[in-house]
Each structure stands twice: as structure tokens, then as C-alpha cells.
Amino acid sequence: MDFEPKIVAFVCNWCTYAGADLTGTSRIKYAPNVKMIRFPCTGRIDFMLLMKAFANGADGMIVSGCHPNDCHYTSGNFHARRRWTVFRSLLEFMGVDTERIAFTWVSAAEGAKWADVVNSTVEKVRALGPCEAYKNADYE
Amino acid sequence: MSKLQDTARSLLDAGEVKVAIGYGEGSVGRVRPLFVTDAAGAQGLIYDGRCTQNLAVYTYKKETAAMGKPAVTAGVATMRALMRLVAERQLREGDFIALAVVGDEVTVCRTLSEMENWLAAAAPKPREADMEMIARIEAMTPAERWAFWRGEMDRCFRCYACRQACPLCYCTQCTVEVNQPQWIPVGATVQGNLEWHAMRAMHLAGRCIECGQCGDACPVDIPIHLLTVKLAADVRNVYGAATGMARDETCAMSIFKPDDRENFIG
């Protein structure tokens, strides 16, 4: 059976979720592999949620929110950016594949960009194959 | 009598502190933390190369905090931890006296300014062995790194000695013990252990003072401190933030600059 990647998207309510909505109302087709989880702000996207997604079988992830200076709450994305920087470095240091996590800014007007982000992430993860190492850490 | 013992005795005699927290001879050539409450006991205090445990933890642990105002024997790492606890509003000026030690030299620091000056002069650096090991792990391929950490995590049985030894793990309720939601499984499984140690490293990012005590305390010798020390080095390199050097420093994770680096965000 062909491998269909499972992608979880952690997105903020105000920009990327609205942007993805625009993708739909613009009738732009994109890969159906993505499951979106809506957060009030990128600042709310706890690093533990990303680890839990890997543990529960996600093959890839998209983490996305408002562009810098566009945050509905002024600074949530700035705080998130620092946290992602550090978290990415930690994952790399532990040997977890950070290629599987796409961090992007997608505004409410960037419906087409959202389709691109999803499609490119799906293709990238499809090429990488299923994410088994983390999920099966207990059974190796 | 050493200068350290003399100093502690006179502070206890004068009633300036209720307890001197330091190191004493333990068994089989090891040292142990020593809590001296009377002047006569000060002769048990020692300071040498074996005295690496971070004593700042005893300034807030319930049992030892109840002993009254302490004079803490402080090498560079302990001093940084004390300063970081001040920056995080866990200690205040006057709550403690630091007996800053370098070899046989003792400097009594009563004020935060004295401690800051002593720290600036001491110019602390991360432990060389830690940085070497981090460089060695970074030189591995991702698959080798994963295999390395997976193997290490396999031995962790969640005694939480790392947390207990850490001067900055002072939360009265730790996320690992929260069960609504249950972030981390209770049993010692590889994945749960990975989550626990990654979470601890993230919670110490921008705060860790690189004493390496979490790793030293590990009964199965997992070099767990490399995670926090690695992130401390990152935070220093990327955001230029020092930890445990001044009373008014912030946490690099709770501030931002609009032009922070973001070369990985599309």
C-alpha cells in the first residue's frame, strides 16, 4: 500500500486558520492529508503538543501563525518564535528529524500560500517515509 | 582552622545567620552537604575539588529553609544559582549570605552588588568536559544521535534525582506530576522518559546556569545535563543572554526582539 503521510497542522485562529479558510473559499485544491488544530495564538502552541503528535502517529507537522508584527495579541508569535528556535535545536540534538516539522507564517490573505505549504510538506514527508522511530521508541 | 571555617563560626557566633550550609566529609571519600547550626560545628566545613553539589537548592527546600537565614558556601555555580533565584524572585537581598569561595579564599557577600561583582570577576564558563561531549554528539548523524539518546533514556527509571538536584527546579507542582492532562506517562518508558527530559530541558531554557548537577545526580549516569547545557549555550549564542549573573536579568524565553533570528521559518 502506498504511504499516505499523516500531517498535523497547529495553527493560530487569527491568521493561518483564516488563511486556510480562504484557500477553501477560493476553491484551491490541496492535499487532504492535513488535520488542522486551531489555537487562539501561536503563543499557545506548547512544545509538548508537538511531541504528543509524534508519539500518536503523526508523520509530519505544520506549525503556523501570523507574520511578525501581525499578531492579534501583539507579541504571541514573537514569543513562539523564540520557543520554536530552542525546541528545534533540542529536537535536532536528540536526533529527532526536524525536517518533518514545517514552521511558517501564513496570513489570512495567503490562501494560496497555505495550499503550497500543505502540498510541499506532504511531498517532503512522503519522501521521508513514515515517522516510526519516535512513535515506536518503546519497542525498538 | 581554615578561613571558611573561621568565617562561618564568626557569623554563627554573631547571630548573623542561623545556619551555615556547606560541604563536609562524607563516607568512602565523598563529600556531603553539611548544615552547621552552632559555632563549634563550623570545623566540619571543607571546600575542595570534590565539592561540586549545588547548595543553592537548600535555600528554598522546605526543611532546610525552616532552619533560618543561611550562609551558603558558594563556588561559582552555586553563586550563579543563587543570583538566578534572586532574578526569578525566589530569594531577596538579605535572605542569605554567600560565602564565595575560590580555593582557600573566602569572600563574604552580604549584598547582591557584592555577589554580582564577585561573579563578574569570576567570569564563569561552561564545564569543558560538557562542551566536548556536546560537540561529540553534534558531530554524529541524526540516526546516531537518536540511537545514543534512546539508549540513555532506556536506563532512566524516573527517580527524579535530576530535578531534586537542580537549583532551578523549584516548582511545588511539576508538570510531570500533573495528571489532568497527563502530559507524561507515569511509568518509566523510553518515550515517556524522552518527553520528561525534553520537557525539563525546555523549562530550563534561558534559565539553566550550567552547573551540570542534574547529570551528576543521576544514579545511572545518564548525561542528562547535556540537554540543558546545550540549550543554555544556544540561548547565549543566539540571544546573547547570560544566566545567573545579575539580579535584574530576564529569561530569554519570556522576552523577544522583533528582529530575532528566524532562518528556519518559511
Side-chain angles (χ1 to χ4, degrees), chain A residues 47 52 55 75 78-79 81-82 85-86 88-89 92-95 103-105 133-135 137-138 140, chain B residues 145-146 149-150 183 190-191 194-195 202 230 234 239 252-258 260 262 264-266:
Chain A
F47 61 91
K52 288 291 169 193
S75 59
F78 287 131
H79 288 293
R81 183 169 61 183
R82 282 207 166 193
T85 304
V86 171
R88 232 174 132 263
S89 161
E92 266 168 28
F93 190 62
M94 295 179 92
F103 294 96
T104 62
W105 309 126
Y134 191 94
K135 188 173 64 179
D138 292 347
E140 259 169 49
Chain B
R145 284 200 290 272
W146 172 259
W149 284 112
R150 199 203 162 278
W183 285 109
V190 177
Q191 197 181 74
L194 269 164
E195 287 173 342
M202 282 300 289
K230 156 84 172 121
D234 279 355
Y239 303 118
M253 289 294 102
S254 52
I255 55 166
F256 65 87
K257 291 196 182 99
D260 276 337
E262 57 162 57
F264 63 95
I265 304 179

